[in-house]
Amino acid sequence: MRGAQIIFQPSGKRGVIEEGKTILEASRNFGVGIESICGGKQSCGKCRVKVLGGEFSPFTEEEAKFIGESEKAMGFRLACSARVLGDSIIFVPEESLLQRQIVRKEIIERKIELRPAIQSCPLELTPPSFGDLLGDLERVEQALSKKYALTQLRIDYPALQTLPRALREGDWRATAIIWMGREIFEIRSGMREELFGLALDIGTTTLAGYLCDLRSGKTIATQSMMNPQVVYGEDVMSRISFAMTHPKGLHLLHRSILDGLNHLIKLISEKANLSSEEILELTVVGNTAMHHLFLGIDPQYLGVSPFPPVLHQSMDIKARELGLRVHPSANIHILPIEAGFVGADNVGVILSLEPHCQDEMVLIMDIGTNGELVMGNREGLFSASCATGPALEGAHIEFGMRAAPGAIERVKISPGTFEVSYEVIGGLRPMGICGSGIIDVVAELYRVGVIDRSGCFQKEMECPRLRWRDGRAEFIIAWREETSIGKEITMTQQDIRNVQLAKGALYAGAKLLMRRLGVERLDRVILAGAFGSWIDPRNAMTLGMFPDCDLKKVNAVGNAAGEGARIALLNREKRREAEEIAKKVNYMELTIESDFQKEFIEAMPIPHMRDPFPHLNL
Amino acid sequence: MRGAQIIFQPSGKRGVIEEGKTILEASRNFGVGIESICGGKQSCGKCRVKVLGGEFSPFTEEEAKFIGESEKAMGFRLACSARVLGDSIIFVPEESLLQRQIVRKEIIERKIELRPAIQSCPLELTPPSFGDLLGDLERVEQALSKKYALTQLRIDYPALQTLPRALREGDWRATAIIWMGREIFEIRSGMREELFGLALDIGTTTLAGYLCDLRSGKTIATQSMMNPQVVYGEDVMSRISFAMTHPKGLHLLHRSILDGLNHLIKLISEKANLSSEEILELTVVGNTAMHHLFLGIDPQYLGVSPFPPVLHQSMDIKARELGLRVHPSANIHILPIEAGFVGADNVGVILSLEPHCQDEMVLIMDIGTNGELVMGNREGLFSASCATGPALEGAHIEFGMRAAPGAIERVKISPGTFEVSYEVIGGLRPMGICGSGIIDVVAELYRVGVIDRSGCFQKEMECPRLRWRDGRAEFIIAWREETSIGKEITMTQQDIRNVQLAKGALYAGAKLLMRRLGVERLDRVILAGAFGSWIDPRNAMTLGMFPDCDLKKVNAVGNAAGEGARIALLNREKRREAEEIAKKVNYMELTIESDFQKEFIEAMPIPHMRDPFPHLNL
Ligand code: FES
Ligand code: FES
C-alpha cells in the first residue's frame, strides 16, 4: 500500500491512509464526522466537502448532480466519491459536519408501579467456627432463605470472586443483591441498598438513556447522543447492506453501537454522579435491525423476503458478554420483537401507551427513520412498517437538515402577502430546515394556495417568493441576507414530492390497517418518536399524514419507545406483558398487500385524493 | 528501574529483568522451569543453579545449608536467594530442571452408564414464508418441543450469533446441541451429532485430562502435565501464602493454572485429532485450594482457622468466563467440596470407589501432596485431611525427586548381605529416588534390621553401606560409580524421620477415624492417587502407613479423583450423587482432636508403638 497524509479542517484531525480510499472512509478512520445519509452511495448529496489541496480521483457524473459548476470550481466534492491519491487537505463545511445535531428524546414520564428485577437484602451473619463450618456462600444462602424466603439461588461468577472479602470487610454484615429472585449478583459489605438501572433506546439515528433509581422509580439522569453507526449509513437498509457487503461489516457495526453505548453510559453516570459499575440492570428497545446489530447477529435475512428476524422473544444476557461497562454481573433485558420490521421499540411504544387496554380505536405512528404503525384497542392490535424514506427527518430535501441549531423548526406563511415567519433552533441565523419545519412549510404552502392538492406550485400565482431556477420552481423560505449560508433556503418541487411520498406511505399504511380492522374512523391518533414531540398535529393532518380525526384527540408524546424501556426496567411484570404483546400483535406486511399501491397513490395528494377530512374545516 | 540482561543455559532463554530480582523470579519471567519445592523460601534446597558469570547478592547462611564449600567455589547458588545485580549467565543443572517429570495419573476405567449433560438433536425444519414468519430461534424451539419434548429452553449467546447462518447453510437441516435439557449450546448445520467432553483433575502437582466421546463413553485421549503453579510453591500452604503475600499473587496463580489447562487442552485435542472447540462440557475435581485458585477465588481464609471454604456446592460456569479455550458455550461442572481441606478431588474419589455403597468397612487414602482420608461404608462416611508433608513425594529427602526418568522407584535389600537391587524409571543411571522407592527403602531397612522400630540406624551393625558423615548416619543406596550425579545416593537419618512423620500423620488420622466410627479393624484399604498406583502395599503396611488389614484387600487404584471427574462427565445423575456425598460425608478436623498428638507420636515407630499387625507376619 502507498499511504497518503490527509488533514481535515477545521478540526485539524489528521492521519495516513491507504491511497485510493474515499475521503469519507478516511474521515471515519480519523473520527471526523461527515454527514452521509445514504451511507456513501452518492445519492444523498450530504457529504459535500471542499478540497483545499491534494490529488483526487476525477469528478464524476454523480457528483455533478449535487455540486453545481461554480461549487465545483471552488473545490467542492462528494466525500463518498472522491478518492484520495496523494497528500491532501480537506475542509468540512459546517453543514456537512455530523456532530451538530441536538438530540430530542424527551419522554413523558408516567407513574410506574415499582417491581424491579433487582432487590437488595441486608443480612447479619454469624462468622464460621469449628462448630459451624458452612462455606461463605452457603452461609449467605441460608440467611437469604431464612430472612427472605429466597431459595434455589445461583451465584454469578464475579460475585463469587469478591464474596469472601466482602463478608469479612463488613464484619459479617452484608447486603445481597438478588436478580429475579434467583441469582446473586453481588454481596456488598455492610448495609448498602442502593440500586440503579438504565433504560436504553437504540434508535437508528439516536441513542437515548434513562438512568433510574430502582428503589424510588425516579429518573435521575437522561442522556442522548447520536448513534455512531450513522457513519455507516443513515437508514436501516443501508446498514444491513453495509453489514452484508463489507467483510467486517457486521463486526464494525456491532462494535460501533457498543462503543457508543459505553460512551453514553459514561456520560450519564457522570451526570448522576455515580460509578457506571453501580448500574445493575439494563433494558433495551430498538427496531429489529438495531436489535440484531446490538447483539452482533447478522441482520442480512431481515433484508430479504420474507424478512424473518433471528428471534422474536425477549433476551436476558449479561452486559459483560457484550462488553458494556456497567456492573460486572449486570443483566441486559432486551424487549421482544414483533416482526422483521416491527421491533422491540414498537413493543416499548405499546407497553407505554397501552392501546391494548383502551376501548378507543387508536392509531399510533412512531415516526423515526422508519415509520411504525400500531392500530387497535383491547380487542386486538395490528402493526405495520412503512418505508417513509428519510424526508420527514430532513434528508432528501435540498436544504433539509436534522433538528440541530440553525434548523428552521416552525414556519408560518401569511395568506395573500406570503410573508414567512419562522423559528430557528438555538435562535441562530438559519442554515437549513428540519422535519417539523418541512411539514409546516408544505402544509402552509397548501393552505395559502401556493401549491395545489397535487403538490404542484401554482405557476401563475403572483408570489414574490416563488421563483424558477433551471426550469424548476422553488419557494424561498429565507432570503440570502437572513441565512448563515450565503444563499437562500428554499423548498423545491422535488422536496415537496419527497414529503408527499413519505406522508402517502404513512397514510396508506394506516388505511390498510383500518380496513383490516374493519373500522371507518379513528378515535385517537398518537404521534410518537423523537420527531413526534415537535410536529404540529394540525399541519400533519392538513398534509394528510394520517386519516381524519378530532384534532383534540391528536397528540404527540415524545419517545414512547424509551418510556417502554423504562417501564420494563422498573417493573419486571411488565416484561411478561411485553412478551405477550409481541406475540399477540398481528403484523401486517404492507408490501405484499395488493391494495397498497393503489392506496399509496390515492394518498399522495394533499390531504388525500378522495378521503374527507371533516375535522380540518378546509 | 535498572535492567539486567540474563541468559539461562542450557536452554538459551534470555531477557531483561529489573535488578534486585532473584534468579528464581527471573526464571519464571522467561519460562525457565527451576525446581522450587518450598516456593522460594530457601528451605528445600531444590533450586540450585550454577552461576557462570555476572553480579549477584552475597552468599547467605541459608544457602550454606544446601551448598557445600566446594560447590560454592564452583558457583552454585540457590536461585531463590541470589539476586541479580547485573548482566549474568546462569546454568540450570539437570536435577534442578522442572520439566523432566513424567506424570503418572493413570486411571482404572469402570463401565459407566451413559447419561451426559449434553445431547444432540437432529432437526428438519421448514423455511420461513409469509405464511410462517417465525423467527429462526422460535422455529428451532418449536421443532425441539415437537420432536424431543424439550421446552422452556434458553439459548446461549454465542449460539444465537451463529444460528441464522447455520440454519441456511444446512438448508434447514440442523443439529441442536442441548445442555441439561434446558440450554441451547449450538445449532450445527446439517446432521452432526458428535459430542465430546473433558474430565480434568487439578492436582497440586499434576494436571490430568481425560477426553471422552460422550456418545460411546470411551476415553479417546489422556494427557497429563505438571501444574505450572509449582513454580510458586510446591504445596498448598505455600501457594496460599504466595497468594496472600504477593500483590498480584492470586492473579498470577489463577492465570498460571488456566494457562496450564489451555496447554493441556491443546495437547489432548491434538492427540485425539479434534479441534478444542469440539469440547462441549468439562468436569473438574481438585482439592479446595486448587478449586479456589482455578476459580480465582482468594484462598487465604482456607489457611486460617477454622478454615472454611468460600463455597461447598458444585458450580456450573461457562468455560469462556475463565478463558478456557474450548467450545464457546462449553460448561464447566466443578464438583462440590467437603471441607476446607477435603475438596472436590475427594468427592471424585468417593464417586469412583463408592464406599458409601459397600458393606465392608473401607479406608481410602488419597496420597498426593496432601493426604486425604475417607473411612466408612453404606452406614456413613467420615473424611479427614493429613498434613503429611511432601516427603512421600520425594521432597524434604536429601536425594528425593519426583517420579521422573532417573528416579529409583523400586528397591530391595537382601538380608545379611545388604545387597541393594533397584529399578530406575526410564532404565537410566539413577540421579535420585522417588516416593515409592523411598517407602521401599525405609521398609526394607527395617525388615533387614538396619534400622530399628524407632527408625534409628543400628550403629553397631556390620553393614558396608552404612556410613557416618559429620556425625550423621546414612545408608548408601547407589554407589557413586552407578549414579549419574557423581556422588552416592543415600538415605539419611533425617530422611527416615521425615518419612516417619508423614506415615505417622496418615496412620494417626486413620486411627482417629476408626475411633469416631467405633470400628476395631478395617475390611479393606484402598490407596489412591498418582502416588498410589506405584506404591507397594506390603511395604506401605510394613512402614505402618495405615492400620493392619488383610493384604489381599489392600490395593492401589490410580487416580480415583480423575475417574470421579470422568464419571460426572459421562453421567449427569452422578453430579447429584456427588452433591449428596459432599453434604453427607462428615468432616473431622484432626488438628483440634485432643488425641491427635498422642496418636501421632504412637504412630511414629515402625510399624507402630503398640498396635499389632497380624497380617504382616513380622
Ligand atoms: S452522497 Fe455521499 S454520503 Fe450520500
Ligand atoms: S530453596 Fe530455593 S526454592 Fe526452595
Side-chain angles (χ1 to χ4, degrees):
Chain A
M1 102 167 205
R2 282 184 50 203
Q5 158 98 20
I6 183 161
I7 302 176
F8 286 97
Q9 297 296 10
S11 64
K13 289 183 180 164
R14 68 186 64 205
V16 174
I17 56 147
E18 199 176 334
E19 283 187 12
K21 296 269 177 209
T22 66
I23 297 174
L24 186 64
E25 286 167 330
S27 73
R28 288 172 186 168
N29 280 358
F30 308 133
V32 177
I34 294 181
E35 193 79 71
S36 57
I37 296 196
C38 70
K41 296 216 197 64
Q42 290 126 51
S43 66
C44 73
K46 295 300 176 197
C47 65
R48 296 201 293 190
V49 295
K50 195 170 160 185
V51 157
L52 300 181
E55 274 177 78
F56 300 89
S57 58
F59 197 85
T60 66
E61 271 176 45
E62 278 71 31
E63 292 180 83
K65 289 191 195 138
F66 299 100
I67 294 167
E69 275 304 321
S70 60
E71 285 175 325
K72 181 181 166 188
M74 289 162 67
F76 274 94
R77 302 291 305 261
L78 288 186
C80 68
S81 172
R83 294 180 183 280
V84 179
L85 303 180
D87 297 350
S88 359
I89 307 182
I90 313 283
F91 180 80
V92 185
E94 181 66 11
E95 65 269 22
S96 300
L97 275 178
L98 202 53
Q99 298 88 329
R100 299 164 296 120
Q101 192 193 29
I102 58 158
V103 161
R104 288 176 164 169
K105 282 252 176 179
E106 288 89 352
I107 53 179
I108 299 173
E109 279 196 23
R110 297 190 307 125
K111 188 106 194 92
I112 301 164
E113 198 193 328
L114 273 182
R115 191 153 157 57
I118 304 280
Q119 70 189 103
S120 52
C121 304
L123 299 172
E124 313 223 7
L125 305 163
T126 46
S129 62
F130 281 119
D132 168 13
L133 276 169
L134 275 186
D136 295 348
L137 177 57
E138 286 79 11
R139 191 169 303 278
V140 166
E141 286 179 344
Q142 199 181 60
L144 285 168
S145 157
K146 246 189 222 157
K147 187 158 169 202
Y148 299 95
L150 289 164
T151 56
Q152 303 254 309
L153 295 167
R154 50 156 302 179
I155 186 165
D156 192 33
Y157 176 51
L160 185 63
Q161 291 187 298
T162 54
L163 169 64
R165 168 155 309 194
L167 292 185
R168 285 159 183 91
E169 275 182 0
D171 203 16
W172 303 94
R173 287 157 52 90
T175 309
I177 308 299
I178 312 290
W179 179 73
M180 294 296 272
R182 62 176 189 253
E183 187 170 309
I184 301 172
F185 268 21
E186 185 183 0
I187 305 293
R188 298 176 180 166
S189 64
M191 301 300 171
R192 289 190 292 128
E193 297 197 55
E194 307 75 32
L195 300 174
F196 300 98
L198 179 63
L200 288 173
D201 171 20
I202 304 179
T204 309
T205 307
T206 307
L207 309 177
Y210 310 94
L211 183 58
C212 300
D213 180 330
L214 299 182
R215 298 201 307 152
S216 69
K218 290 229 175 72
T219 302
I220 54 174
T222 67
Q223 180 72 46
S224 55
M225 59 177 274
M226 204 102 153
N227 183 336
Q229 288 182 335
V230 295
V231 300
Y232 301 108
E234 183 75 354
D235 60 25
V236 161
M237 285 315 278
S238 56
R239 287 193 215 156
I240 292 177
S241 98
F242 182 84
M244 286 171 65
T245 51
H246 286 66
K248 298 186 83 183
L250 173 59
H251 175 77
L252 285 171
L253 286 165
H254 180 54
R255 280 309 330 153
S256 151
I257 186 72
L258 293 175
D259 290 348
L261 290 172
N262 273 328
H263 187 60
L264 183 144
I265 287 166
K266 184 167 171 287
L267 296 176
I268 202 167
S269 313
E270 283 168 4
K271 234 186 214 177
N273 221 344
L274 282 182
S275 151
S276 61
E277 294 240 327
E278 296 204 57
I279 298 172
L280 282 157
E281 176 85 355
L282 298 95
T283 51
V284 169
V285 297
N287 64 47
T288 308
M290 291 307 108
H291 169 285
H292 281 36
L293 291 173
F294 170 64
L295 286 170
I297 298 174
D298 191 345
Q300 67 169 290
Y301 311 108
L302 294 178
V304 184
S305 166
F307 321 112
V310 170
L311 75 167
H312 287 101
Q313 60 202 249
S314 66
M315 283 281 293
D316 284 301
I317 182 173
K318 290 284 175 193
R320 65 175 182 270
E321 298 261 19
L322 291 174
L324 284 188
R325 286 191 287 276
V326 288
H327 188 282
S329 288
N331 176 66
I332 308 175
H333 180 83
I334 304 153
L335 272 76
I337 282 171
E338 290 166 36
F341 284 102
V342 191
D345 50 351
N346 203 247
V347 173
V349 166
I350 297 173
L351 202 59
S352 150
L353 301 175
E354 302 189 324
H356 58 301
C357 305
Q358 317 292 329
D359 291 318
E360 289 183 324
M361 180 55 58
V362 186
L363 165 64
I364 302 169
M365 294 190 138
D366 190 12
I367 305 168
T369 311
N370 222 23
E372 290 174 3
L373 309 184
V374 175
M375 191 179 293
N377 55 20
R378 64 170 79 251
E379 314 268 287
L381 294 178
F382 279 78
S383 70
S385 169
C386 289
T388 56
L392 297 181
E393 291 200 309
H396 293 199
I397 299 292
E398 178 137 359
F399 289 90
M401 65 182 283
R402 296 211 192 89
I408 296 173
E409 57 170 349
R410 279 273 159 275
V411 179
K412 280 207 180 319
I413 306 178
S414 308
T417 65
F418 307 112
E419 263 320 285
V420 174
S421 63
Y422 54 76
E423 291 168 27
V424 180
I425 298 179
L428 308 178
R429 284 156 71 102
M431 60 167 62
I433 183 163
C434 70
S436 57
I438 293 165
I439 286 173
D440 283 357
V441 170
V442 182
E444 291 282 285
L445 287 175
Y446 174 68
R447 201 172 57 86
V448 301
V450 175
I451 57 174
D452 62 10
R453 300 190 57 186
S454 70
C456 292
F457 281 113
Q458 298 301 88
K459 307 188 181 174
E460 52 291 337
M461 164 133 330
E462 277 292 325
C463 170
R465 286 179 180 257
L466 198 57
R467 76 165 177 209
W468 298 83
R469 200 173 41 150
D470 308 336
R472 294 151 61 213
E474 59 185 13
F475 179 84
I476 297 163
I477 302 166
W479 300 105
R480 181 200 305 240
E481 320 66 88
E482 301 166 23
T483 73
S484 66
I485 53 173
K487 53 187 172 184
E488 294 84 4
I489 293 173
T490 67
M491 175 80 37
T492 69
Q493 187 67 68
Q494 185 57 44
D495 293 343
I496 293 168
R497 277 280 166 272
N498 286 335
V499 171
Q500 284 176 283
L501 287 168
K503 78 97 186 173
L506 288 170
Y507 190 100
K511 199 67 187 300
L512 290 177
L513 286 173
M514 286 173 78
R515 189 166 310 149
R516 174 69 71 94
L517 276 155
V519 300
E520 296 286 314
R521 42 176 288 280
L522 299 170
D523 297 322
R524 183 177 290 281
V525 174
I526 304 177
L527 302 170
F531 180 99
S533 54
W534 297 93
I535 210 169
D536 179 286
R538 168 176 289 274
N539 280 342
M541 195 158 98
T542 298
L543 265 190
M545 270 174 63
F546 47 85
D548 184 65
C549 184
D550 181 352
L551 271 172
K552 287 198 292 295
K553 293 208 159 183
V554 179
N555 52 325
V557 294
N559 185 12
E563 174 69 0
R566 201 176 70 88
I567 291 170
L569 179 66
L570 295 179
N571 187 330
R572 65 200 237 198
E573 302 301 336
K574 290 286 176 179
R575 299 180 185 183
R576 207 175 310 158
E577 192 177 328
E579 200 81 59
E580 279 156 29
I581 289 170
K583 274 193 203 124
K584 274 203 241 152
V585 174
N586 300 289
Y587 175 66
M588 190 170 166
E589 176 59 47
L590 297 178
T591 58
I592 58 167
E593 292 291 318
S594 55
D595 278 356
F596 182 75
Q597 209 49 35
K598 175 174 154 288
E599 288 295 344
F600 180 48
I601 289 166
E602 291 191 0
M604 290 281 285
I606 302 171
H608 191 272
M609 187 182 293
R610 66 176 84 245
D611 289 354
F613 279 77
H615 287 101
L616 276 182
N617 309 320
L618 282 172
Chain B
M1 103 168 205
R2 282 184 50 203
Q5 159 98 20
I6 183 162
I7 302 176
F8 287 96
Q9 298 295 11
S11 64
K13 288 182 181 166
R14 68 186 65 205
V16 173
I17 56 146
E18 201 177 331
E19 283 187 13
K21 296 266 177 212
T22 65
I23 297 174
L24 186 64
E25 286 167 331
S27 74
R28 287 172 186 169
N29 281 357
F30 308 133
V32 178
I34 295 182
E35 194 78 70
S36 58
I37 296 197
C38 72
K41 297 215 197 63
Q42 289 125 53
S43 66
C44 72
K46 295 299 177 198
C47 64
R48 295 200 295 189
V49 296
K50 195 169 158 187
V51 157
L52 300 181
E55 275 177 79
F56 302 90
S57 58
F59 197 84
T60 66
E61 272 176 44
E62 278 72 32
E63 292 181 81
K65 290 190 195 139
F66 300 101
I67 294 167
E69 275 304 320
S70 61
E71 284 175 326
K72 181 181 165 187
M74 288 164 67
F76 274 94
R77 301 292 305 261
L78 287 186
C80 68
S81 172
R83 294 180 184 280
V84 179
L85 303 179
D87 298 350
S88 359
I89 307 182
I90 314 281
F91 180 80
V92 185
E94 180 66 10
E95 64 270 25
S96 301
L97 275 178
L98 202 54
Q99 299 88 330
R100 300 165 295 119
Q101 191 195 29
I102 58 157
V103 162
R104 289 179 163 169
K105 282 252 177 181
E106 287 88 352
I107 53 180
I108 298 172
E109 278 195 25
R110 295 190 308 124
K111 187 107 195 93
I112 302 165
E113 197 194 328
L114 272 182
R115 190 152 158 57
I118 304 279
Q119 70 189 104
S120 52
C121 305
L123 299 171
E124 313 223 6
L125 304 163
T126 46
S129 62
F130 280 118
D132 167 14
L133 276 169
L134 275 186
D136 295 348
L137 177 57
E138 285 78 13
R139 191 170 301 279
V140 166
E141 286 180 345
Q142 199 181 61
L144 284 167
S145 157
K146 244 189 223 155
K147 187 159 170 202
Y148 299 95
L150 289 164
T151 56
Q152 304 255 308
L153 295 168
R154 48 156 301 177
I155 186 165
D156 192 33
Y157 176 50
L160 184 63
Q161 291 187 300
T162 54
L163 169 64
R165 169 156 307 192
L167 292 185
R168 286 159 184 90
E169 274 181 1
D171 204 14
W172 303 93
R173 287 158 54 91
T175 309
I177 307 299
I178 312 291
W179 180 73
M180 293 296 271
R182 62 176 189 252
E183 187 171 310
I184 301 172
F185 268 21
E186 185 183 359
I187 304 294
R188 298 176 179 167
S189 64
M191 302 300 171
R192 288 190 293 128
E193 297 196 55
E194 307 76 30
L195 300 174
F196 300 98
L198 179 63
L200 288 173
D201 172 19
I202 304 180
T204 309
T205 306
T206 307
L207 309 177
Y210 310 94
L211 183 58
C212 300
D213 180 330
L214 299 182
R215 298 202 305 153
S216 68
K218 291 227 176 72
T219 301
I220 54 174
T222 67
Q223 179 73 45
S224 54
M225 59 178 274
M226 209 97 150
N227 183 336
Q229 288 181 335
V230 294
V231 299
Y232 301 108
E234 184 75 355
D235 60 25
V236 161
M237 285 315 278
S238 55
R239 285 192 217 159
I240 291 177
S241 98
F242 181 84
M244 286 171 66
T245 52
H246 286 66
K248 297 186 83 182
L250 172 59
H251 175 77
L252 285 170
L253 286 165
H254 179 54
R255 280 309 330 153
S256 151
I257 185 71
L258 293 175
D259 290 348
L261 289 172
N262 273 328
H263 187 60
L264 184 144
I265 287 166
K266 183 168 172 287
L267 295 176
I268 202 167
S269 313
E270 283 168 4
K271 234 185 214 178
N273 221 345
L274 282 182
S275 152
S276 62
E277 295 241 327
E278 296 204 57
I279 298 172
L280 280 158
E281 176 86 353
L282 298 94
T283 50
V284 169
V285 297
N287 63 47
T288 308
M290 291 306 109
H291 169 284
H292 282 35
L293 291 174
F294 170 63
L295 286 171
I297 298 174
D298 190 346
Q300 65 169 290
Y301 311 108
L302 294 178
V304 183
S305 167
F307 321 113
V310 171
L311 75 167
H312 287 103
Q313 61 203 249
S314 66
M315 282 281 293
D316 284 301
I317 184 173
K318 290 284 175 191
R320 65 177 182 270
E321 299 261 19
L322 291 174
L324 285 187
R325 287 191 286 277
V326 288
H327 189 281
S329 287
N331 176 67
I332 308 176
H333 180 84
I334 304 153
L335 272 76
I337 283 171
E338 290 165 38
F341 285 102
V342 191
D345 49 352
N346 202 247
V347 174
V349 167
I350 297 173
L351 203 57
S352 148
L353 301 175
E354 301 189 327
H356 58 302
C357 305
Q358 318 291 328
D359 291 319
E360 290 183 323
M361 180 54 58
V362 186
L363 165 65
I364 302 170
M365 294 190 137
D366 190 13
I367 305 168
T369 311
N370 221 25
E372 291 175 2
L373 308 184
V374 175
M375 191 179 292
N377 55 22
R378 64 170 78 246
E379 313 268 288
L381 294 179
F382 279 78
S383 70
S385 169
C386 289
T388 54
L392 297 181
E393 290 199 310
H396 293 198
I397 298 291
E398 179 136 357
F399 290 90
M401 63 181 285
R402 297 212 192 89
I408 296 174
E409 58 170 349
R410 278 275 159 274
V411 179
K412 281 209 181 315
I413 305 178
S414 308
T417 65
F418 309 112
E419 264 321 288
V420 174
S421 63
Y422 53 76
E423 291 169 25
V424 180
I425 299 178
L428 309 177
R429 284 154 73 101
M431 59 167 62
I433 181 163
C434 69
S436 57
I438 291 165
I439 286 173
D440 283 357
V441 170
V442 181
E444 291 282 286
L445 287 175
Y446 175 68
R447 202 172 56 86
V448 301
V450 174
I451 59 176
D452 63 10
R453 299 191 58 188
S454 70
C456 293
F457 281 113
Q458 296 303 87
K459 305 187 181 176
E460 51 290 335
M461 166 137 320
E462 278 290 328
C463 169
R465 288 181 179 254
L466 198 56
R467 76 166 177 209
W468 298 83
R469 198 173 43 150
D470 310 335
R472 294 151 61 214
E474 60 183 13
F475 181 84
I476 297 163
I477 302 166
W479 300 105
R480 181 199 304 240
E481 320 66 86
E482 300 167 25
T483 74
S484 66
I485 54 173
K487 54 186 170 186
E488 294 85 4
I489 292 172
T490 67
M491 176 80 35
T492 70
Q493 186 68 67
Q494 186 57 43
D495 293 343
I496 293 168
R497 277 281 166 269
N498 287 335
V499 171
Q500 283 176 282
L501 287 168
K503 79 96 186 173
L506 289 171
Y507 190 99
K511 201 67 186 302
L512 289 177
L513 286 173
M514 286 172 78
R515 188 163 313 147
R516 174 69 72 91
L517 277 155
V519 300
E520 296 287 314
R521 43 175 288 280
L522 299 170
D523 298 323
R524 181 178 291 281
V525 174
I526 304 178
L527 302 170
F531 180 99
S533 55
W534 297 93
I535 211 169
D536 179 287
R538 169 177 288 273
N539 281 342
M541 196 158 98
T542 299
L543 265 190
M545 270 174 61
F546 47 84
D548 184 65
C549 183
D550 181 352
L551 272 171
K552 287 199 293 297
K553 294 208 160 184
V554 178
N555 52 326
V557 294
N559 185 12
E563 173 70 359
R566 202 176 69 89
I567 290 170
L569 179 66
L570 296 179
N571 187 330
R572 65 199 236 200
E573 303 299 335
K574 290 287 177 179
R575 300 181 185 183
R576 207 175 311 158
E577 192 178 329
E579 201 80 59
E580 280 157 28
I581 290 169
K583 275 194 203 123
K584 273 202 244 153
V585 174
N586 300 287
Y587 175 65
M588 189 167 165
E589 176 60 47
L590 297 178
T591 59
I592 59 165
E593 291 292 318
S594 55
D595 279 357
F596 183 75
Q597 209 50 34
K598 175 175 154 287
E599 289 295 344
F600 180 48
I601 288 166
E602 291 191 0
M604 290 281 285
I606 301 171
H608 191 270
M609 187 183 292
R610 66 176 84 247
D611 290 354
F613 281 78
H615 287 101
L616 276 182
N617 309 321
L618 282 174

